[in-house]
Amino acid sequence: MKIIWAAAAAPGLAFRHAPVVSWTRITTRIPPGSPLHSTAAVESAEAAVPSSAAPLSSPKRADFSGFDYGAHWYPVIWARDLRPNEPTRVTLFDVDYVVARTTAGTAGEEDEAFYALVDECPHKKVALSEGRVTKGGDFQCSYHGWSFDGSTGRCVEIPQTLIAKQGRAGAESYDKPQQSGGGRRRREDATSVAVTVVQGMVWLQPNYTPIEALAAAANGTLSGPPTIPEIDEEGYKTTVAIRDFPIAGQAGKGFDLYVSDGVENKPALDEEWPSSGWKATNSVPAVEKLIAYNSNFRLGGVKKKKDSKKKTDGPTKMATTIFHAPSVISMGRRDNATAPAAFVSGFWVSPTGVGRSRFMASATVKSPISVPRWATHMNLNNFLDQDTYLLVGQNRATLKREAEGYLANDASDATNPVRKSTYVYRSPSEKLPTRLGQFFDATLSRSPNRREGVLAWHRRNTEGGKLIGPGPSRREILDRHEQHTKICPDSSDLVERCDRVMKRSRLAAVALVLARLLLGGGAGGVAEEAGGPLAKGIIQWTVGLAADAARRSVLRPGPFVAILAAAAALYRGSSLIKREFHFKTDEGRHRHDVKAISDMWADL
Ligand code: FES
């Protein structure tokens, strides 16, 4: 299944809105007078940098006891998917944030800025993502109009107070005495969160405010997000995708989807502990076609496949998978483990919460050609549907085991022996998944809000130690519109275009048929009477001419049928494309897919 995605998603589309920037561009528009301009503020914040930034120790085989989820950046959305000056809600570890790409007061996209606040108005706890971005670039709550500076969270206007008459200057005078280090957070201030844009993706660091992140970057205690080198290389095109899943919360087992298939071998697994966390690299000789390998080599030619026309001369490429904890994985075929690949898949699992996750993907290819982003999304959605339904069942089983582990152990016990024994590994090809499993087993219980979230899930979904019901339906699990189309402007724009084409082609067909019924298809008619009594009037004469022209052209049998067929084809084509962005993989489609299993895993 991995092969299908890799092959079809090869052509890419360069980022349209979001230029690749250095991760140190934590905030891009710092208002004059902001404490972020103050060197003293940065120095003061350096002292207050959370201790979680301490780098992981690097023994040969880490037990991961030093891994800290709070020391990492997390991807939340592609920058290009944020419509300018529209607040958008994202979620990490079951906490909502509002993010915005603002262009207010700037020269344009070059100077755009990205901000993030905890998605809660300090006044009456309404979601700020339901509000708007003002002309001045502030977040404004939709309920009573309080406004907040995106870079600091500072409340800059309360319409019902004197501040409203005095503007931002009034807000300053309204302030209480400031402490050193950029100002104390007041009860009326929102909570700002560090945000950066790297490789076209918006990343949050929930443990840091923007000023703390700047300070930590300056003193080397906070590293930037891990990157995929090819995305920044000349001559490569990248296309990106996004989908919300009801599976694999907390950057957990969703990675199984990408690393568990393969062939038997004994791959070397290199592990490193860069300052940004834990990194594992698995590099094995690439198998050109897994299906052919399975049939022709492992089973001794039980089921022959047609020889691939593709030339396989030259040295065998190394299929290289790199996992960069806690949320990034990339795969590519390289001459050696570190050489550039002609095609690289990147996957990021954004840990939205227990039992859910946001999946972000990129396909980077060395090519001068770009294809529309929505075209690759259709292919990716088909690929993802195949496994997602299975993974929901898997996810229920692992969450149940994890909860049982917590219930059986003291809250202070970081390990979870029950969860550890959930899976059975027997193939050497699962070396990387096994190691990833060890990583998550050892660390998940320490991720934010995990333990209480899993126990709450357990209370909702089990009774007497057993899972309740069959779980969510196929329609709920594979709802592409909710999970993808709504959050992808390119796909939702395409669906709107399809709607327009369907509407217009239907109208054109109906109008044509009505005209033929009313006017008939023969030549001649009203126009020939146009020279009659003047009382028929100029309008009647004009209509007559048009009707006559129609009879001579589009209403003749040949053009009439051709136009009707074109309208029908447009309607059908648009409805098929539109269907790709809604629920599609129903029972019938599943049965069709199951028939193909024998091509992948041979009968014995
Ligand atoms: S709840 Fe936000 S301004 Fe009142």
Side-chain angles (χ1 to χ4, degrees), residues 121 123-126 141 143-146:
C121 177
H123 182 211
K124 291 198 174 174
K125 314 307 174 196
V126 161
C141 179
Y143 205 6
H144 307 105
W146 289 26

Side-chain angles (χ1 to χ4, degrees), residues 21-342:
V21 296
S22 160
W23 82 270
T24 51
R25 198 181 80 165
I26 292 170
T27 56
T28 51
R29 183 178 65 86
I30 302 174
S34 161
L36 290 180
H37 277 296
S38 158
T39 308
V42 171
E43 286 169 357
S44 168
E46 282 180 9
V49 166
S51 59
S52 60
L56 191 68
S57 60
S58 52
K60 178 69 181 155
R61 298 282 283 182
D63 61 3
F64 305 116
S65 58
F67 187 86
D68 183 355
Y69 282 87
H72 294 271
W73 293 88
Y74 293 91
V76 291
I77 195 167
W78 292 103
R80 59 177 291 156
D81 290 342
L82 283 175
R83 297 187 194 265
N85 303 310
E86 270 188 28
T88 301
R89 183 174 62 229
V90 297
T91 308
L92 281 178
F93 299 113
D94 285 315
V95 176
D96 291 338
Y97 301 89
V98 55
V99 296
R101 177 160 66 100
T102 71
T103 56
T106 68
E109 287 185 1
E110 292 298 309
D111 292 326
E112 65 191 4
F114 294 83
Y115 296 126
L117 302 176
V118 172
D119 192 18
E120 184 180 273
C121 177
H123 182 211
K124 291 198 174 174
K125 314 307 174 196
V126 161
L128 291 171
S129 56
E130 294 297 321
R132 66 170 189 138
V133 172
T134 65
K135 284 184 181 161
D138 297 319
F139 289 86
Q140 187 172 55
C141 179
S142 60
Y143 205 6
H144 307 105
W146 289 26
S147 292
F148 307 92
D149 182 307
S151 63
T152 60
R154 192 176 184 78
C155 179
V156 293
E157 184 177 321
I158 299 176
Q160 298 79 11
T161 69
L162 192 60
I163 296 171
K165 296 178 192 164
Q166 298 176 350
R168 194 176 291 267
E172 293 300 327
S173 65
Y174 175 78
D175 195 5
K176 293 166 188 159
Q178 299 290 292
Q179 293 181 341
S180 64
R184 181 166 59 87
R185 184 169 169 268
R186 307 161 305 172
R187 289 193 67 207
E188 62 270 34
D189 292 338
T191 304
S192 62
V193 170
V195 54
T196 188
V197 179
V198 172
Q199 296 197 314
M201 208 176 312
V202 179
W203 302 70
L204 300 192
Q205 214 314 349
N207 258 18
Y208 290 75
T209 65
I211 191 169
E212 286 171 344
L214 281 173
N219 68 23
T221 51
L222 178 65
S223 299
T227 57
I228 296 175
E230 285 85 351
I231 291 179
D232 296 333
E233 290 290 326
E234 280 283 323
Y236 282 82
K237 293 279 191 289
T238 296
T239 188
V240 299
I242 188 166
R243 187 159 164 179
D244 286 332
F245 281 137
I247 53 170
Q250 309 290 15
K253 304 308 290 182
F255 285 120
D256 277 8
L257 186 61
Y258 314 109
V259 294
S260 63
D261 52 358
V263 295
E264 181 163 355
N265 53 48
K266 293 186 171 26
L269 192 66
D270 291 328
E271 299 187 32
E272 304 167 54
W273 288 265
S275 58
S276 52
W278 177 62
K279 183 178 172 188
T281 302
N282 183 31
S283 195
V284 298
V287 171
E288 199 52 50
K289 288 279 183 191
L290 180 59
I291 297 171
Y293 178 92
N294 189 44
S295 302
N296 295 341
F297 297 95
R298 190 170 75 84
L299 300 177
V302 169
K303 188 167 185 173
K304 294 280 184 191
K305 287 281 168 192
K306 284 182 190 166
D307 288 340
S308 169
K309 285 183 182 162
K310 191 174 174 183
K311 287 197 172 163
T312 53
D313 295 345
T316 304
K317 297 276 186 192
M318 299 299 287
T320 307
T321 305
I322 302 170
F323 173 70
H324 208 133
S327 57
V328 186
I329 202 159
S330 66
M331 297 184 301
R333 294 184 171 193
R334 307 163 192 278
D335 290 336
N336 57 60
T338 55

